[in-house]
Amino acid sequence: MDARHDTANPESPGTNNSKKENIVGTPNKQLDAMIIGSGVAGLYQLHMLRNQGLNVRAYDAASGVGGTWYWNRYPGAKFDSESYIYQYLFSEELYKNWSWSSRFPGQPEIEQWMNYIADNLDLRKDVQLDTHIVSAHYNEDSKRWTVTTADNEVIDTRFLITCCGMLSAPMQDLFPGQDSFNGEIFHTARWPRKEVELEGKRVGVVGIGATGIQVIQTIAEKVGQLKVFVRTPQYVLPMNNPSYGEEDVKWYKSRFEELKDDLPHTFSGFEYEFEYVWADESPERRLEILEEAHADGSLKLWLGAFEELFFEEEASGEISEFVREKMRARLKDPKLCEMLIPTDYDFGSHRVPLESNYLEAYLRDNVEAIMVTDNPITRVVPEGLELADGTVYELDVIILATGFDAGTGALSRIDIRGRDNRSLKEDWERDIRTTMGLQVHGYPNMFTTATPLAPSAALCNMTTCLQQQTEWINDCIQYLRKHEFEFIEPSRELEDEWVAHHDETSGKTLISRTNSWYNGANVPGKPRRVLSYTAGVGTYREKCDESAASEYSGFVKA
Ligand SMILES: Cc1cc2nc3c(=O)[nH]c(=O)nc-3n(C[C@H](O)[C@H](O)[C@H](O)COP(=O)(O)OP(=O)(O)OC[C@H]3O[C@@H](n4cnc5c(N)ncnc54)[C@H](O)[C@@H]3O)c2cc1C
């Protein structure tokens, strides 16, 4: 199977396959609000707007609800957030009636939880699945949006809310010749629902980010041979993933109120908060703190030890060396250490993966790491993958763990036109701008979640952040209706201010100096900007709350 063909759904979003004619015809449906996406954000947004009494529907290209947790069914897919903090906190009953089996459960269980949400909130009747949105055009006369599906259904809506995900537009047409491959190619985010036979096969994994790592550690012992194509070595942290018994479940459920109060205000929406100041601790004490955070088996070492990790080269350098040493102790072989341990960027300056015996996979006889940093993959040939020096690696299956066009990709792949027929794709090809990640100047009555310049994936436990964003949008729409405003849009000046604030904050971090998807470096030609807001989830919330309290000062409303 070619990675561009999704067996679960041929009209999968982000496949650049919106070749169907974009005809804006007579609307088949009139809505007050339309939501694109039925993941964590889309489902909650639907629930709230429906409770406001709006005629609202959510549309999704997927054949099931869950977004990320519908699409990413690759071997070993699981949480990096602790399960009990990834839940919605708006309903104690909804929270407490679901019990997790472990601290970091896998995709099947998370998908089940999303289905539990859809059923318990009775959302399914207002979710239209298998529907790929190809265009959304704003009509300045009617002040409404005309949205078209790949099947030429036309929807007329006052509010358009994109809940399309930050990591939902896969980077999958990467190499020339993918069509010519004799075996099967899968992108991890378009993994088929049917069982994929890997037993005894020659498998190549391209990419060792968080996803590639989960795949490698899961399939290493099943496959015949595993070739791992390594371009950027990754710092990794071992995951401690105990199963939850009755007592554990009781324990975390008893903390509902505490979590509800705390999570929205921490730096990252996770449970941990930076506890120590680097300069205040002795070298011995720093080491103890790092050991303790490392032993937690979570992202605590990254997001809950020393804030200086993100800003100060000395602290960051020492913490990076601490992680390197941990990796060396496990890899042992100097050649593997050289290939797999990063030396040219700092720990935490991009997404930190959690792993379970990932490094040990390379010690197996059937697993080989192949460096492609200076000798890149140039094309797919019928037999496998060819590198720049002409070496061909013969394979039966190629797994593209090549990530996403993060933040902008999902929306750029829809033909979104705002005032004066301006195109969001073209705007973002010049410069990636939003106002608090919640609206974009030039696109009235369009609200966005999980878009750039707001806290997002990995620098945020996304359920915390998406609840806050969707609640802000819900309140804003309620406000507009109450005051009988027809539309809202951020002024150019307000957006300039937010972009400047974002750049100033992110410019101080080491993230801005490291090439990764965090700043668009993984997509050729993408304008560079740190995509996630880096001043912290709590600070972001305060700014959004201030905006609402000021009755959306700086936004144009009429
Ligand atoms: C493998 C993986 C693991 C992750 N692990 C974590 C984690 O542990 N912790 C964490 O906080 N975050 C994690 N994330 C981030 C994750 O994306 C968010 O946690 C969250 O699920 C995003 O929810 P969402 O509703 O914003 O978007 P998504 O879940 O991405 O849903 C967006 C939906 O929009 C639909 N859509 C997009 N475009 C269109 C279109 N044109 N037409 C129709 N439908 C469309 C998609 O089909 C999709 O179903 C992970 C992401 C990935 C990929």
Side-chain angles (χ1 to χ4, degrees), residues 1 6-8 73 186-187 190-196:
M1 191 189 83
D6 164 45
T7 46
R73 46 186 75 244
F186 302 99
H187 189 283
R190 290 296 176 268
W191 201 265
R193 282 202 268 191
K194 70 175 170 60
E195 179 96 18
V196 175

Side-chain angles (χ1 to χ4, degrees), residues 13 27 53 71-72 81 107 173 199 208 346 364 385 471 486 558:
W71 291 109
N72 289 269
S81 292
Q107 175 274 336
D173 289 328
E199 205 96 358
I208 57 159
D346 281 340
R364 298 176 59 86
L385 283 168
E471 283 167 5
E486 260 189 306

Side-chain angles (χ1 to χ4, degrees), residues 11 13-14 36-43 59-62 64 66-72 74 77-81 86 114 131-134 163-168 189-190 211 214 270 351 404 410-411 413-414 449-450 457-458 460-463 466:
E11 292 297 350
I36 312 177
S38 63
V40 169
L43 291 183
Y59 292 74
D60 203 307
T68 293
W69 306 110
Y70 168 85
W71 291 109
N72 289 269
Y74 59 82
K78 57 161 64 101
F79 272 149
D80 278 346
S81 292
Y86 194 87
M114 290 254 67
T131 306
H132 184 194
I133 305 304
V134 292
C163 296
C164 296
M166 188 193 197
L167 300 173
S168 59
R190 290 296 176 268
T211 285
Q214 290 180 342
F270 281 79
R351 172 75 153 90
F404 303 89
L411 298 193
R413 292 175 188 191
I414 303 172
T449 62
C460 176
N461 172 49
M462 282 305 277
T463 313
L466 293 170

Side-chain angles (χ1 to χ4, degrees), residues 80-119:
D80 278 346
S81 292
E82 288 80 355
S83 49
Y84 62 89
I85 63 151
Y86 194 87
Q87 280 176 267
Y88 297 105
L89 294 168
F90 67 89
S91 156
E92 186 168 356
E93 194 190 344
L94 202 63
Y95 184 90
K96 290 193 172 168
N97 285 344
W98 179 264
S99 303
W100 296 104
S101 69
S102 63
R103 190 184 189 199
F104 298 108
Q107 175 274 336
E109 189 172 335
I110 310 167
E111 190 187 16
Q112 278 169 27
W113 167 69
M114 290 254 67
N115 278 279
Y116 155 82
I117 298 294
D119 288 333

Side-chain angles (χ1 to χ4, degrees), residues 462-534:
M462 282 305 277
T463 313
T464 312
C465 296
L466 293 170
Q467 278 181 100
Q468 182 263 334
Q469 289 204 314
T470 47
E471 283 167 5
W472 190 93
I473 292 168
N474 182 57
D475 291 348
C476 183
I477 289 177
Q478 202 155 31
Y479 168 87
L480 296 173
R481 294 176 68 216
K482 185 171 165 205
H483 294 85
E484 298 185 357
F485 288 123
E486 260 189 306
F487 72 89
I488 186 165
E489 173 194 348
S491 66
R492 178 81 197 186
E493 294 71 34
L494 181 67
E495 193 150 287
D496 285 346
E497 259 175 51
W498 184 257
V499 173
H501 164 66
H502 172 88
D503 285 352
E504 196 200 340
T505 324
S506 63
K508 292 180 192 151
T509 66
L510 299 172
I511 294 172
S512 63
R513 293 187 233 160
T514 305
N515 283 337
S516 82
W517 64 260
Y518 270 25
N519 53 20
N522 65 325
V523 181
K526 186 163 173 170
R528 292 296 177 90
R529 172 160 276 139
V530 173
L531 296 172
S532 185
Y533 181 71
T534 53

Side-chain angles (χ1 to χ4, degrees), residues 419 422 433-436 438-446 472 487-500 547 551-558:
R419 275 188 297 102
R422 74 182 63 195
R433 298 164 52 90
T434 69
T435 300
M436 302 191 294
L438 288 163
Q439 279 214 295
V440 185
H441 172 69
Y443 301 83
N445 282 358
M446 181 177 87
W472 190 93
F487 72 89
I488 186 165
E489 173 194 348
S491 66
R492 178 81 197 186
E493 294 71 34
L494 181 67
E495 193 150 287
D496 285 346
E497 259 175 51
W498 184 257
V499 173
S547 164
E551 302 201 16
Y552 310 96
S553 157
F555 286 81
V556 180
K557 309 171 290 271

